[in-house]
Amino acid sequence: MCVLAEEGYTGTADVKAFLAEHHGLALSDVDGHLYHHLNEEAIRHLFRVSSSLDSMVLGEPQILGQVKDAYGYASEFKSIGAVLDKFFSKAFSVAKRVRTETKVASSAVSISYAGVELARKIFGDLKDKTVMLIGAGEMCELAARHLLNAGVKGIMVTNRTYERAVKLAEEFDGTAIRFEEMVSHLKTADIVISSTGSPHFILKRDDVEEVIRIRRNRPMFFVDMAVPRDIDPDINDIDNVYVYDIDDLNNVIETNLEERQKEAGRAEEIVVTEVAAFRRWLDAQQVTPTIVSLRRKFDEIREAEVAKAMSMLGTDDPKTRKVVEALASSILNKVLHAPVTALKNDGNGRDPMELVAVVRELFDLTDGGKDCE
Amino acid sequence: MQTLLLKSTTATYLVGALLYLYFIVTLKERGARLGRMFLLIGVVMHLFGFGMRFAEAGHTPITNLFESLSFFALVIVGAFLATELRYNLRVLGAFVAPLAFLFSLLSAFQKSELQSLNPALNSSWLPVHVIVLFIAYAFFAVQFAAGIMYLMQERQLKGKHLGAIFKRLPSLDVLDDINYRCLTIGFPLLTIGIITGSVWAQDAWGTYWSWDPKETASLATWLVYAALLHGRLTVGWRGRKAAIVAIVGFLLVVFTFLGINLLPAGKHTYASIAR
């Protein structure tokens, strides 16, 4: 959970009190689980979270989706102001930069997904491939789900208890197969995922050699999730057959994680430059610089208009000039009085940044925020 | 002018090859895009040069080693660009483009002056026989590169050490598909090339087949590819085995094309290596 508030809105204490009340917990219970960041730290935090540099698994793509959801709810309930809006869209673009310019999220870091990545490198397209699940298990099912998402054609499920196979097959919209008939159905399976509680190998080299001959050497990929092993590792030596067990997959993931770690440094650099740019933009949104640039803009207009009026009058008489200048100044001062007063009063109870953003937009004050556009 | 044009394609192919190598190392798309652009420019220059030389010589300019090697580089690049278009497989360029450059470079060391046509070669069979064979060779070159890539990728998968190569090379399935496609293009052309050569031999020398070294080597090459095609279609050879046969086949092609010229004279020694 993450609460974002703009400056001057509410204090951290209020947020904590709200959270405690909302969940019916004591304030002291809530407190230990919270952390808060202010200003630049807060910017860095959101940028890093969105880019998934802050997650348990570096580069996990889900986190950006969660941030986007939060943003969606907030804008739905109109609880997001101009500055926070800008903040979020910047966070999304930082996340995109990190994803495209570094390899932080380029390779699989979960066992089941590593299986899919390997299958893709063996088979290319998985569209016309069939999967056989032997036994059940969380890891096994997760891998099957990933493969279904990747578009495999069908799933066969087999289990020593036929009823369980039927149940699981229903879940995956596949077909159940009796355990005794497993080997005879193997020839139609391209990918085999196994995790049974069997104390010895359930697939031997001879079985698979026979199957691969019937398949006319079309490749097979075995994923052995079981401990102890279900599939004889020697099967990996058969041409066009690839066997990965759980340790192999863990090694793959570890290598990928190491690479992500290396890339993380480059990602952090991107975050640093983006935080600085956003900070500059934010500073420009402050009250005083806004008043200054408002004045400067109007002074420019005044000078230009006075010069134009003088040339139209066709005279250089100092007295006339004085009158014209006084006229222009007094109009401008009266026009500017109300907005400047409102800004100086910190928005009369409204969010000052909100007001600053409105003023900047209405008067087209673009200086200072350019780095961030 | 045409000689200069033909020779400068070597530099263009070199730049193309280097850009593809840059791409495979850094995975920066721009490398592959520029690489393809340079190869395309090379092909256009090459075709112009070839056409000009044709006009100047009055016969198909594939009659000596300079011309043959140069033409070989051209068709390899052409076969690669066609394959890349079909499979959208840019990393292939890092393997094939250097090969094309190598032959191009070899041609640059040969005598490039136009020579008067050997009367034995003065026949309308010349363009058919030679061009058809070189196109076959070019697809075998692409198949050779895909075979090497297959063996590298298979080694990664079998050895379970998935490094930078694993990430850069495509799936085994694609590489094996290239093996088959190139075979289905190259083998019929090789067959036509040998048959037209034989018919031409009957015309020129009065015998269809005289077992000169080049003919014998061609037959051996043909047998290797015939075995590969047969194996693929009937017993389901594929993958590693098919890749190895493709590599052996292409080495035989290179031997037939260049190696034979190092042997003492046979009838096909028009294109001997300058020593």
Side-chain angles (χ1 to χ4, degrees), chain A residues 118 120-124 216-219 236-244 248 252 259, chain B residues 150 153-154 157-158 160 162 166-167 169 171-173 232-236 238-240:
Chain A
L118 282 162
R120 280 223 176 87
K121 284 290 185 180
I122 296 169
F123 300 108
R216 288 167 47 101
N217 296 322
R218 274 182 300 122
N236 192 45
D237 297 338
I238 304 172
D239 244 5
N240 300 305
V241 181
Y242 306 87
V243 180
Y244 277 68
D248 299 329
V252 170
E259 198 197 344
Chain B
Y150 186 98
Q153 183 68 301
E154 199 215 22
L157 278 160
K158 283 274 191 199
K160 299 173 185 179
L162 310 180
F166 172 77
K167 211 158 290 161
L169 293 184
S171 68
L172 294 177
D173 184 69
R232 287 203 71 113
L233 292 179
T234 61
V235 262
R238 55 153 66 224
R240 180 185 176 75

mmCIF file of all heavy atoms in Angstrom, chain A residues 118 120-124 216-219 236-244 248 252 259, chain B residues 150 153-154 157-158 160 162 166-167 169 171-173 232-236 238-240:
data_model
loop_
_atom_site.group_PDB
_atom_site.id
_atom_site.type_symbol
_atom_site.label_atom_id
_atom_site.label_comp_id
_atom_site.label_asym_id
_atom_site.label_seq_id
_atom_site.Cartn_x
_atom_site.Cartn_y
_atom_site.Cartn_z
ATOM 1 N N LEU A 118 12.738 -21.469 -22.350
ATOM 2 C CA LEU A 118 13.496 -22.569 -22.957
ATOM 3 C C LEU A 118 12.695 -23.226 -24.079
ATOM 4 O O LEU A 118 13.225 -23.500 -25.157
ATOM 5 C CB LEU A 118 13.846 -23.608 -21.895
ATOM 6 C CG LEU A 118 15.007 -23.228 -20.986
ATOM 7 C CD1 LEU A 118 15.002 -24.066 -19.727
ATOM 8 C CD2 LEU A 118 16.318 -23.401 -21.739
ATOM 9 N N ARG A 120 10.531 -21.946 -25.951
ATOM 10 C CA ARG A 120 10.523 -21.062 -27.126
ATOM 11 C C ARG A 120 11.805 -21.194 -27.922
ATOM 12 O O ARG A 120 11.797 -21.080 -29.145
ATOM 13 C CB ARG A 120 10.365 -19.607 -26.675
ATOM 14 C CG ARG A 120 8.938 -19.251 -26.350
ATOM 15 C CD ARG A 120 8.588 -17.875 -26.929
ATOM 16 N NE ARG A 120 7.190 -17.571 -26.693
ATOM 17 C CZ ARG A 120 6.738 -16.993 -25.585
ATOM 18 N NH1 ARG A 120 7.594 -16.652 -24.632
ATOM 19 N NH2 ARG A 120 5.455 -16.749 -25.439
ATOM 20 N N LYS A 121 12.932 -21.410 -27.217
ATOM 21 C CA LYS A 121 14.208 -21.514 -27.933
ATOM 22 C C LYS A 121 14.355 -22.877 -28.611
ATOM 23 O O LYS A 121 15.185 -23.052 -29.480
ATOM 24 C CB LYS A 121 15.382 -21.283 -26.977
ATOM 25 C CG LYS A 121 15.587 -19.823 -26.616
ATOM 26 C CD LYS A 121 16.104 -18.989 -27.788
ATOM 27 C CE LYS A 121 16.410 -17.582 -27.337
ATOM 28 N NZ LYS A 121 16.900 -16.700 -28.380
ATOM 29 N N ILE A 122 13.558 -23.843 -28.158
ATOM 30 C CA ILE A 122 13.616 -25.147 -28.808
ATOM 31 C C ILE A 122 12.616 -25.206 -29.961
ATOM 32 O O ILE A 122 12.946 -25.579 -31.075
ATOM 33 C CB ILE A 122 13.323 -26.274 -27.787
ATOM 34 C CG1 ILE A 122 14.421 -26.306 -26.722
ATOM 35 C CG2 ILE A 122 13.235 -27.624 -28.497
ATOM 36 C CD1 ILE A 122 14.096 -27.176 -25.539
ATOM 37 N N PHE A 123 11.381 -24.793 -29.667
ATOM 38 C CA PHE A 123 10.307 -24.988 -30.644
ATOM 39 C C PHE A 123 9.986 -23.756 -31.474
ATOM 40 O O PHE A 123 9.251 -23.854 -32.447
ATOM 41 C CB PHE A 123 9.025 -25.426 -29.924
ATOM 42 C CG PHE A 123 9.164 -26.709 -29.168
ATOM 43 C CD1 PHE A 123 9.195 -26.722 -27.787
ATOM 44 C CD2 PHE A 123 9.274 -27.907 -29.853
ATOM 45 C CE1 PHE A 123 9.328 -27.907 -27.089
ATOM 46 C CE2 PHE A 123 9.402 -29.100 -29.159
ATOM 47 C CZ PHE A 123 9.430 -29.102 -27.778
ATOM 48 N N GLY A 124 10.497 -22.603 -31.084
ATOM 49 C CA GLY A 124 10.068 -21.391 -31.761
ATOM 50 C C GLY A 124 8.655 -21.070 -31.343
ATOM 51 O O GLY A 124 8.389 -20.797 -30.178
ATOM 52 N N ARG A 216 9.814 -39.405 -35.408
ATOM 53 C CA ARG A 216 10.737 -39.039 -36.475
ATOM 54 C C ARG A 216 11.600 -37.834 -36.084
ATOM 55 O O ARG A 216 11.761 -36.873 -36.829
ATOM 56 C CB ARG A 216 9.981 -38.736 -37.773
ATOM 57 C CG ARG A 216 9.407 -40.012 -38.411
ATOM 58 C CD ARG A 216 8.405 -39.672 -39.488
ATOM 59 N NE ARG A 216 8.934 -38.646 -40.384
ATOM 60 C CZ ARG A 216 9.434 -38.894 -41.582
ATOM 61 N NH1 ARG A 216 9.507 -40.126 -42.025
ATOM 62 N NH2 ARG A 216 9.868 -37.928 -42.332
ATOM 63 N N ASN A 217 12.126 -37.925 -34.855
ATOM 64 C CA ASN A 217 13.078 -36.941 -34.344
ATOM 65 C C ASN A 217 12.513 -35.555 -34.076
ATOM 66 O O ASN A 217 13.272 -34.615 -33.873
ATOM 67 C CB ASN A 217 14.283 -36.804 -35.281
ATOM 68 C CG ASN A 217 15.089 -38.066 -35.363
ATOM 69 O OD1 ASN A 217 15.262 -38.747 -34.343
ATOM 70 N ND2 ASN A 217 15.553 -38.417 -36.544
ATOM 71 N N ARG A 218 11.176 -35.428 -34.122
ATOM 72 C CA ARG A 218 10.677 -34.106 -33.731
ATOM 73 C C ARG A 218 11.042 -33.882 -32.269
ATOM 74 O O ARG A 218 10.890 -34.789 -31.439
ATOM 75 C CB ARG A 218 9.160 -34.018 -33.949
ATOM 76 C CG ARG A 218 8.829 -33.600 -35.380
ATOM 77 C CD ARG A 218 7.352 -33.469 -35.616
ATOM 78 N NE ARG A 218 6.664 -34.726 -35.375
ATOM 79 C CZ ARG A 218 5.677 -34.876 -34.482
ATOM 80 N NH1 ARG A 218 5.270 -33.845 -33.767
ATOM 81 N NH2 ARG A 218 5.099 -36.044 -34.320
ATOM 82 N N PRO A 219 11.571 -32.705 -31.922
ATOM 83 C CA PRO A 219 12.162 -32.504 -30.599
ATOM 84 C C PRO A 219 11.173 -32.646 -29.451
ATOM 85 O O PRO A 219 9.966 -32.474 -29.626
ATOM 86 C CB PRO A 219 12.689 -31.063 -30.649
ATOM 87 C CG PRO A 219 12.369 -30.518 -31.970
ATOM 88 C CD PRO A 219 11.673 -31.538 -32.789
ATOM 89 N N ASN A 236 18.736 -36.632 -21.630
ATOM 90 C CA ASN A 236 19.240 -35.400 -22.243
ATOM 91 C C ASN A 236 20.265 -35.681 -23.344
ATOM 92 O O ASN A 236 20.495 -34.853 -24.221
ATOM 93 C CB ASN A 236 19.858 -34.504 -21.160
ATOM 94 C CG ASN A 236 20.149 -33.099 -21.653
ATOM 95 O OD1 ASN A 236 19.318 -32.489 -22.316
ATOM 96 N ND2 ASN A 236 21.333 -32.605 -21.360
ATOM 97 N N ASP A 237 20.896 -36.865 -23.301
ATOM 98 C CA ASP A 237 21.914 -37.201 -24.310
ATOM 99 C C ASP A 237 21.318 -37.638 -25.638
ATOM 100 O O ASP A 237 22.027 -37.708 -26.642
ATOM 101 C CB ASP A 237 22.832 -38.324 -23.794
ATOM 102 C CG ASP A 237 23.600 -37.880 -22.570
ATOM 103 O OD1 ASP A 237 23.754 -36.660 -22.387
ATOM 104 O OD2 ASP A 237 24.036 -38.758 -21.793
ATOM 105 N N ILE A 238 20.023 -37.942 -25.654
ATOM 106 C CA ILE A 238 19.384 -38.336 -26.914
ATOM 107 C C ILE A 238 19.276 -37.112 -27.805
ATOM 108 O O ILE A 238 18.946 -36.014 -27.331
ATOM 109 C CB ILE A 238 17.971 -38.924 -26.662
ATOM 110 C CG1 ILE A 238 18.044 -40.098 -25.676
ATOM 111 C CG2 ILE A 238 17.320 -39.363 -27.964
ATOM 112 C CD1 ILE A 238 16.687 -40.602 -25.238
ATOM 113 N N ASP A 239 19.559 -37.308 -29.089
ATOM 114 C CA ASP A 239 19.463 -36.201 -30.038
ATOM 115 C C ASP A 239 18.044 -35.636 -30.060
ATOM 116 O O ASP A 239 17.075 -36.392 -30.047
ATOM 117 C CB ASP A 239 19.815 -36.715 -31.446
ATOM 118 C CG ASP A 239 21.066 -36.032 -31.965
ATOM 119 O OD1 ASP A 239 21.684 -35.262 -31.190
ATOM 120 O OD2 ASP A 239 21.427 -36.271 -33.136
ATOM 121 N N ASN A 240 17.943 -34.319 -30.130
ATOM 122 C CA ASN A 240 16.646 -33.625 -30.215
ATOM 123 C C ASN A 240 15.789 -33.736 -28.968
ATOM 124 O O ASN A 240 14.612 -33.423 -28.991
ATOM 125 C CB ASN A 240 15.828 -34.107 -31.421
ATOM 126 C CG ASN A 240 16.553 -33.868 -32.735
ATOM 127 O OD1 ASN A 240 16.935 -32.739 -33.023
ATOM 128 N ND2 ASN A 240 16.774 -34.929 -33.494
ATOM 129 N N VAL A 241 16.394 -34.202 -27.867
ATOM 130 C CA VAL A 241 15.656 -34.248 -26.609
ATOM 131 C C VAL A 241 16.394 -33.401 -25.581
ATOM 132 O O VAL A 241 17.620 -33.452 -25.491
ATOM 133 C CB VAL A 241 15.530 -35.701 -26.083
ATOM 134 C CG1 VAL A 241 14.745 -35.722 -24.779
ATOM 135 C CG2 VAL A 241 14.859 -36.582 -27.115
ATOM 136 N N TYR A 242 15.648 -32.622 -24.823
ATOM 137 C CA TYR A 242 16.237 -31.737 -23.828
ATOM 138 C C TYR A 242 15.559 -31.970 -22.495
ATOM 139 O O TYR A 242 14.339 -31.949 -22.406
ATOM 140 C CB TYR A 242 16.085 -30.273 -24.266
ATOM 141 C CG TYR A 242 16.659 -30.064 -25.650
ATOM 142 C CD1 TYR A 242 15.881 -30.285 -26.790
ATOM 143 C CD2 TYR A 242 17.999 -29.740 -25.813
ATOM 144 C CE1 TYR A 242 16.421 -30.162 -28.053
ATOM 145 C CE2 TYR A 242 18.554 -29.614 -27.077
ATOM 146 C CZ TYR A 242 17.757 -29.831 -28.195
ATOM 147 O OH TYR A 242 18.307 -29.721 -29.436
ATOM 148 N N VAL A 243 16.370 -32.256 -21.474
ATOM 149 C CA VAL A 243 15.821 -32.501 -20.140
ATOM 150 C C VAL A 243 16.368 -31.467 -19.176
ATOM 151 O O VAL A 243 17.578 -31.310 -19.032
ATOM 152 C CB VAL A 243 16.191 -33.919 -19.636
ATOM 153 C CG1 VAL A 243 15.603 -34.139 -18.248
ATOM 154 C CG2 VAL A 243 15.710 -34.975 -20.609
ATOM 155 N N TYR A 244 15.479 -30.747 -18.537
ATOM 156 C CA TYR A 244 15.869 -29.796 -17.498
ATOM 157 C C TYR A 244 15.195 -30.197 -16.196
ATOM 158 O O TYR A 244 13.987 -30.404 -16.168
ATOM 159 C CB TYR A 244 15.447 -28.371 -17.869
ATOM 160 C CG TYR A 244 16.432 -27.673 -18.785
ATOM 161 C CD1 TYR A 244 16.610 -28.098 -20.095
ATOM 162 C CD2 TYR A 244 17.199 -26.613 -18.328
ATOM 163 C CE1 TYR A 244 17.530 -27.489 -20.924
ATOM 164 C CE2 TYR A 244 18.122 -25.984 -19.159
ATOM 165 C CZ TYR A 244 18.278 -26.425 -20.452
ATOM 166 O OH TYR A 244 19.190 -25.808 -21.271
ATOM 167 N N ASP A 248 18.550 -27.361 -12.690
ATOM 168 C CA ASP A 248 18.957 -26.688 -13.932
ATOM 169 C C ASP A 248 18.204 -25.370 -14.082
ATOM 170 O O ASP A 248 18.778 -24.340 -14.417
ATOM 171 C CB ASP A 248 18.658 -27.563 -15.152
ATOM 172 C CG ASP A 248 19.414 -28.880 -15.092
ATOM 173 O OD1 ASP A 248 20.522 -28.892 -14.521
ATOM 174 O OD2 ASP A 248 18.897 -29.883 -15.607
ATOM 175 N N VAL A 252 19.510 -21.476 -14.257
ATOM 176 C CA VAL A 252 19.166 -20.535 -15.319
ATOM 177 C C VAL A 252 18.703 -19.214 -14.719
ATOM 178 O O VAL A 252 19.148 -18.131 -15.107
ATOM 179 C CB VAL A 252 18.038 -21.117 -16.212
ATOM 180 C CG1 VAL A 252 17.499 -20.053 -17.153
ATOM 181 C CG2 VAL A 252 18.557 -22.311 -16.990
ATOM 182 N N GLU A 259 22.508 -11.124 -14.135
ATOM 183 C CA GLU A 259 22.567 -10.151 -15.224
ATOM 184 C C GLU A 259 21.691 -8.942 -14.917
ATOM 185 O O GLU A 259 22.070 -7.804 -15.168
ATOM 186 C CB GLU A 259 22.116 -10.799 -16.532
ATOM 187 C CG GLU A 259 22.575 -9.975 -17.710
ATOM 188 C CD GLU A 259 21.831 -10.307 -18.975
ATOM 189 O OE1 GLU A 259 21.183 -11.361 -19.029
ATOM 190 O OE2 GLU A 259 21.887 -9.486 -19.894
ATOM 191 N N TYR B 150 22.976 -23.430 -35.451
ATOM 192 C CA TYR B 150 22.233 -24.516 -34.798
ATOM 193 C C TYR B 150 23.123 -25.230 -33.784
ATOM 194 O O TYR B 150 22.733 -25.438 -32.634
ATOM 195 C CB TYR B 150 21.702 -25.517 -35.825
ATOM 196 C CG TYR B 150 20.812 -26.570 -35.200
ATOM 197 C CD1 TYR B 150 19.433 -26.441 -35.240
ATOM 198 C CD2 TYR B 150 21.354 -27.664 -34.521
ATOM 199 C CE1 TYR B 150 18.602 -27.375 -34.638
ATOM 200 C CE2 TYR B 150 20.539 -28.602 -33.905
ATOM 201 C CZ TYR B 150 19.177 -28.464 -33.972
ATOM 202 O OH TYR B 150 18.361 -29.380 -33.365
ATOM 203 N N GLN B 153 23.644 -23.094 -30.704
ATOM 204 C CA GLN B 153 22.462 -22.980 -29.854
ATOM 205 C C GLN B 153 22.153 -24.317 -29.174
ATOM 206 O O GLN B 153 21.785 -24.348 -28.007
ATOM 207 C CB GLN B 153 21.266 -22.486 -30.682
ATOM 208 C CG GLN B 153 19.993 -22.242 -29.914
ATOM 209 C CD GLN B 153 20.100 -21.061 -28.966
ATOM 210 O OE1 GLN B 153 20.934 -21.039 -28.076
ATOM 211 N NE2 GLN B 153 19.257 -20.060 -29.154
ATOM 212 N N GLU B 154 22.348 -25.406 -29.911
ATOM 213 C CA GLU B 154 22.074 -26.717 -29.324
ATOM 214 C C GLU B 154 23.017 -26.986 -28.155
ATOM 215 O O GLU B 154 22.634 -27.527 -27.126
ATOM 216 C CB GLU B 154 22.219 -27.824 -30.373
ATOM 217 C CG GLU B 154 21.533 -29.101 -29.961
ATOM 218 C CD GLU B 154 22.259 -30.336 -30.412
ATOM 219 O OE1 GLU B 154 23.480 -30.253 -30.679
ATOM 220 O OE2 GLU B 154 21.623 -31.398 -30.504
ATOM 221 N N LEU B 157 21.761 -25.265 -25.141
ATOM 222 C CA LEU B 157 20.594 -25.912 -24.537
ATOM 223 C C LEU B 157 20.936 -27.232 -23.867
ATOM 224 O O LEU B 157 20.466 -27.526 -22.782
ATOM 225 C CB LEU B 157 19.516 -26.131 -25.603
ATOM 226 C CG LEU B 157 18.640 -24.915 -25.892
ATOM 227 C CD1 LEU B 157 17.966 -25.033 -27.236
ATOM 228 C CD2 LEU B 157 17.607 -24.727 -24.793
ATOM 229 N N LYS B 158 21.784 -28.014 -24.535
ATOM 230 C CA LYS B 158 22.161 -29.308 -23.962
ATOM 231 C C LYS B 158 23.038 -29.111 -22.741
ATOM 232 O O LYS B 158 22.937 -29.836 -21.763
ATOM 233 C CB LYS B 158 22.923 -30.147 -24.994
ATOM 234 C CG LYS B 158 22.032 -30.784 -26.050
ATOM 235 C CD LYS B 158 21.457 -32.109 -25.620
ATOM 236 C CE LYS B 158 20.808 -32.809 -26.798
ATOM 237 N NZ LYS B 158 19.876 -33.852 -26.362
ATOM 238 N N LYS B 160 23.123 -26.548 -20.824
ATOM 239 C CA LYS B 160 22.377 -25.844 -19.776
ATOM 240 C C LYS B 160 23.114 -24.633 -19.222
ATOM 241 O O LYS B 160 22.798 -24.172 -18.123
ATOM 242 C CB LYS B 160 22.017 -26.821 -18.642
ATOM 243 C CG LYS B 160 21.149 -27.956 -19.152
ATOM 244 C CD LYS B 160 20.915 -29.027 -18.127
ATOM 245 C CE LYS B 160 20.136 -30.179 -18.757
ATOM 246 N NZ LYS B 160 19.892 -31.264 -17.827
ATOM 247 N N LEU B 162 23.195 -21.142 -20.152
ATOM 248 C CA LEU B 162 22.547 -20.267 -21.107
ATOM 249 C C LEU B 162 23.138 -18.869 -21.014
ATOM 250 O O LEU B 162 22.776 -18.082 -20.149
ATOM 251 C CB LEU B 162 21.041 -20.239 -20.843
ATOM 252 C CG LEU B 162 20.441 -21.639 -20.716
ATOM 253 C CD1 LEU B 162 18.963 -21.560 -20.461
ATOM 254 C CD2 LEU B 162 20.710 -22.463 -21.969
ATOM 255 N N PHE B 166 22.890 -17.878 -26.174
ATOM 256 C CA PHE B 166 21.519 -18.385 -26.070
ATOM 257 C C PHE B 166 20.512 -17.284 -26.366
ATOM 258 O O PHE B 166 19.546 -17.474 -27.093
ATOM 259 C CB PHE B 166 21.299 -18.935 -24.659
ATOM 260 C CG PHE B 166 19.868 -19.324 -24.361
ATOM 261 C CD1 PHE B 166 19.344 -20.497 -24.857
ATOM 262 C CD2 PHE B 166 19.061 -18.504 -23.586
ATOM 263 C CE1 PHE B 166 18.039 -20.859 -24.578
ATOM 264 C CE2 PHE B 166 17.757 -18.861 -23.302
ATOM 265 C CZ PHE B 166 17.244 -20.039 -23.804
ATOM 266 N N LYS B 167 20.770 -16.120 -25.789
ATOM 267 C CA LYS B 167 19.834 -15.018 -25.934
ATOM 268 C C LYS B 167 19.812 -14.492 -27.367
ATOM 269 O O LYS B 167 18.777 -14.100 -27.876
ATOM 270 C CB LYS B 167 20.262 -13.904 -24.976
ATOM 271 C CG LYS B 167 19.096 -13.093 -24.481
ATOM 272 C CD LYS B 167 19.441 -12.400 -23.183
ATOM 273 C CE LYS B 167 19.580 -13.377 -22.036
ATOM 274 N NZ LYS B 167 20.310 -12.835 -20.914
ATOM 275 N N LEU B 169 20.847 -16.052 -30.323
ATOM 276 C CA LEU B 169 20.492 -16.942 -31.428
ATOM 277 C C LEU B 169 19.010 -17.294 -31.384
ATOM 278 O O LEU B 169 18.411 -17.336 -30.321
ATOM 279 C CB LEU B 169 21.344 -18.212 -31.364
ATOM 280 C CG LEU B 169 22.833 -18.003 -31.637
ATOM 281 C CD1 LEU B 169 23.555 -19.331 -31.652
ATOM 282 C CD2 LEU B 169 23.071 -17.255 -32.925
ATOM 283 N N SER B 171 15.470 -19.725 -32.253
ATOM 284 C CA SER B 171 15.113 -21.064 -31.799
ATOM 285 C C SER B 171 15.696 -22.118 -32.738
ATOM 286 O O SER B 171 15.943 -21.859 -33.913
ATOM 287 C CB SER B 171 13.598 -21.210 -31.743
ATOM 288 O OG SER B 171 13.076 -21.175 -33.047
ATOM 289 N N LEU B 172 15.916 -23.304 -32.192
ATOM 290 C CA LEU B 172 16.431 -24.418 -32.987
ATOM 291 C C LEU B 172 15.504 -24.691 -34.165
ATOM 292 O O LEU B 172 15.937 -25.017 -35.270
ATOM 293 C CB LEU B 172 16.540 -25.666 -32.113
ATOM 294 C CG LEU B 172 17.554 -25.606 -30.977
ATOM 295 C CD1 LEU B 172 17.499 -26.886 -30.160
ATOM 296 C CD2 LEU B 172 18.955 -25.380 -31.530
ATOM 297 N N ASP B 173 14.204 -24.546 -33.904
ATOM 298 C CA ASP B 173 13.208 -24.839 -34.928
ATOM 299 C C ASP B 173 13.413 -23.964 -36.167
ATOM 300 O O ASP B 173 13.393 -24.453 -37.298
ATOM 301 C CB ASP B 173 11.818 -24.612 -34.333
ATOM 302 C CG ASP B 173 10.727 -24.978 -35.312
ATOM 303 O OD1 ASP B 173 10.588 -26.176 -35.575
ATOM 304 O OD2 ASP B 173 10.056 -24.067 -35.814
ATOM 305 N N ARG B 232 16.141 -36.377 -44.613
ATOM 306 C CA ARG B 232 15.118 -35.499 -44.040
ATOM 307 C C ARG B 232 13.728 -36.003 -44.373
ATOM 308 O O ARG B 232 12.836 -36.002 -43.520
ATOM 309 C CB ARG B 232 15.269 -34.068 -44.572
ATOM 310 C CG ARG B 232 16.453 -33.297 -44.032
ATOM 311 C CD ARG B 232 16.229 -31.798 -44.139
ATOM 312 N NE ARG B 232 15.234 -31.388 -43.183
ATOM 313 C CZ ARG B 232 15.475 -30.607 -42.126
ATOM 314 N NH1 ARG B 232 16.669 -30.104 -41.921
ATOM 315 N NH2 ARG B 232 14.516 -30.297 -41.279
ATOM 316 N N LEU B 233 13.550 -36.404 -45.630
ATOM 317 C CA LEU B 233 12.207 -36.753 -46.060
ATOM 318 C C LEU B 233 11.772 -38.132 -45.593
ATOM 319 O O LEU B 233 10.615 -38.346 -45.272
ATOM 320 C CB LEU B 233 12.098 -36.664 -47.583
ATOM 321 C CG LEU B 233 12.213 -35.233 -48.138
ATOM 322 C CD1 LEU B 233 12.120 -35.232 -49.657
ATOM 323 C CD2 LEU B 233 11.140 -34.312 -47.554
ATOM 324 N N THR B 234 12.702 -39.093 -45.555
ATOM 325 C CA THR B 234 12.262 -40.453 -45.249
ATOM 326 C C THR B 234 12.494 -40.869 -43.801
ATOM 327 O O THR B 234 11.591 -41.393 -43.164
ATOM 328 C CB THR B 234 12.948 -41.478 -46.163
ATOM 329 O OG1 THR B 234 14.350 -41.380 -45.941
ATOM 330 C CG2 THR B 234 12.635 -41.214 -47.619
ATOM 331 N N VAL B 235 13.684 -40.620 -43.255
ATOM 332 C CA VAL B 235 13.899 -41.089 -41.891
ATOM 333 C C VAL B 235 13.804 -39.977 -40.851
ATOM 334 O O VAL B 235 14.051 -40.209 -39.671
ATOM 335 C CB VAL B 235 15.254 -41.821 -41.731
ATOM 336 C CG1 VAL B 235 15.036 -43.299 -41.806
ATOM 337 C CG2 VAL B 235 16.283 -41.355 -42.727
ATOM 338 N N GLY B 236 13.446 -38.771 -41.296
ATOM 339 C CA GLY B 236 13.275 -37.707 -40.329
ATOM 340 C C GLY B 236 14.580 -37.193 -39.754
ATOM 341 O O GLY B 236 14.653 -36.834 -38.593
ATOM 342 N N ARG B 238 17.027 -34.444 -38.861
ATOM 343 C CA ARG B 238 16.828 -33.025 -38.622
ATOM 344 C C ARG B 238 17.835 -32.572 -37.589
ATOM 345 O O ARG B 238 18.672 -33.355 -37.154
ATOM 346 C CB ARG B 238 15.400 -32.753 -38.167
ATOM 347 C CG ARG B 238 14.999 -33.561 -36.940
ATOM 348 C CD ARG B 238 13.945 -32.866 -36.149
ATOM 349 N NE ARG B 238 12.683 -32.752 -36.866
ATOM 350 C CZ ARG B 238 11.962 -31.633 -36.876
ATOM 351 N NH1 ARG B 238 12.390 -30.567 -36.255
ATOM 352 N NH2 ARG B 238 10.802 -31.598 -37.499
ATOM 353 N N GLY B 239 17.699 -31.313 -37.212
ATOM 354 C CA GLY B 239 18.495 -30.806 -36.111
ATOM 355 C C GLY B 239 19.984 -30.957 -36.312
ATOM 356 O O GLY B 239 20.529 -30.602 -37.352
ATOM 357 N N ARG B 240 20.629 -31.532 -35.301
ATOM 358 C CA ARG B 240 22.072 -31.621 -35.253
ATOM 359 C C ARG B 240 22.648 -32.354 -36.468
ATOM 360 O O ARG B 240 23.594 -31.879 -37.107
ATOM 361 C CB ARG B 240 22.432 -32.372 -33.970
ATOM 362 C CG ARG B 240 23.881 -32.571 -33.751
ATOM 363 C CD ARG B 240 24.093 -33.430 -32.509
ATOM 364 N NE ARG B 240 25.515 -33.683 -32.384
ATOM 365 C CZ ARG B 240 26.387 -32.776 -31.962
ATOM 366 N NH1 ARG B 240 25.963 -31.577 -31.621
ATOM 367 N NH2 ARG B 240 27.666 -33.041 -31.899
#
